[in-house]
């Protein structure tokens, strides 16, 4: 069975490589390369997989999931400038793809040994743009 929990956070970022010229960055990242940055209201959906407990009827305690998402994602990233305040984005371009992988990296150990395992991280950068990541 799959169960999904959603959390929202707002963050700003700049998509640009410091070792590239302004023209190279603009050619690839467009307006996302603006050195002053811009922000998004991200929506994160985390899907866990497991079997319902025969006693509780739940795959996982959603209060605990909410706490993990707050500790690992919303707390460290909400209202932050990702490039300046959230490692590893001080050295890694904070694209939606890289952000989804980093969120997986933070969450997977928290669910590795429990009854529910992390199945998918879905991160919406905008209403019509999202990334799904299922780990490796």
């Amino acid at each position: 069975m799959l169960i999904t929990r959603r959390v929202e956070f707002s963050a700003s970022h700049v998509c640009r490589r410091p070792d590239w010229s302004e023209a190279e960055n603009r050619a690839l990242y467009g307006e996302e390369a603006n050195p002053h940055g811009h922000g998004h209201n991200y929506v994160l959906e985390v899907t866990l997989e497991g079997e319902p407990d025969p006693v509780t009827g739940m795959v996982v305690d959603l209060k605990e999931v909410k706490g993990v998402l707050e500790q690992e994602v919303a707390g460290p990233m909400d209202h932050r400038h990702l490039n300046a305040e959230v490692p590893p984005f001080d050295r890694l371009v904070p694209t939606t793809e890289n952000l989804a992988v980093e969120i997986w990296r933070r969450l997977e150990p928290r669910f590795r040994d429990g009854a529910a395992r992390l199945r998918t991280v879905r991160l919406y950068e905008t209403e019509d743009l999202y990334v799904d990541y299922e780990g490796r």
Side-chain angles (χ1 to χ4, degrees):
M1 183 172 288
L2 303 176
I3 190 163
T4 301
R5 183 75 192 214
R6 177 183 285 195
V7 66
E8 298 179 22
F9 64 97
S10 298
S12 63
H13 69 147
V14 177
C15 289
R16 65 184 301 120
R17 293 188 50 98
D19 55 328
W20 287 5
S21 71
E22 180 68 23
E24 289 171 313
N25 276 296
R26 289 282 179 169
L28 181 61
Y29 296 114
E31 289 301 313
E32 300 276 315
N34 178 343
H36 301 292
H38 62 281
H40 296 285
N41 295 317
Y42 291 97
V43 176
L44 172 64
E45 294 177 349
V46 174
T47 301
L48 302 167
E49 180 177 26
E51 294 301 319
D53 182 276
V55 175
T56 67
M58 299 186 304
V59 172
V60 64
D61 183 341
L62 290 175
K63 290 184 304 296
E64 290 180 17
V65 175
K66 183 178 180 180
V68 168
L69 295 178
E70 175 60 35
Q71 292 169 359
E72 299 294 343
V73 180
M77 296 184 189
D78 192 33
H79 290 89
R80 301 286 191 267
H81 187 287
L82 298 176
N83 305 73
E85 300 179 80
V86 182
F89 301 113
D90 53 340
R91 61 188 186 285
L92 181 66
V93 179
T95 60
T96 307
E97 296 90 335
N98 283 339
L99 193 51
V101 171
E102 175 61 15
I103 290 169
W104 175 281
R105 188 194 68 74
R106 291 171 181 233
L107 295 179
E108 193 277 332
R110 300 291 300 268
F111 297 106
R112 185 179 299 150
D113 298 324
R117 293 160 311 285
L118 187 58
R119 170 79 177 264
T120 306
V121 165
R122 173 173 280 181
L123 182 64
Y124 287 85
E125 181 178 275
T126 62
E127 188 176 292
D128 60 352
L129 173 71
Y130 67 87
V131 170
D132 285 331
Y133 185 70
E134 297 182 359
R136 297 202 178 173

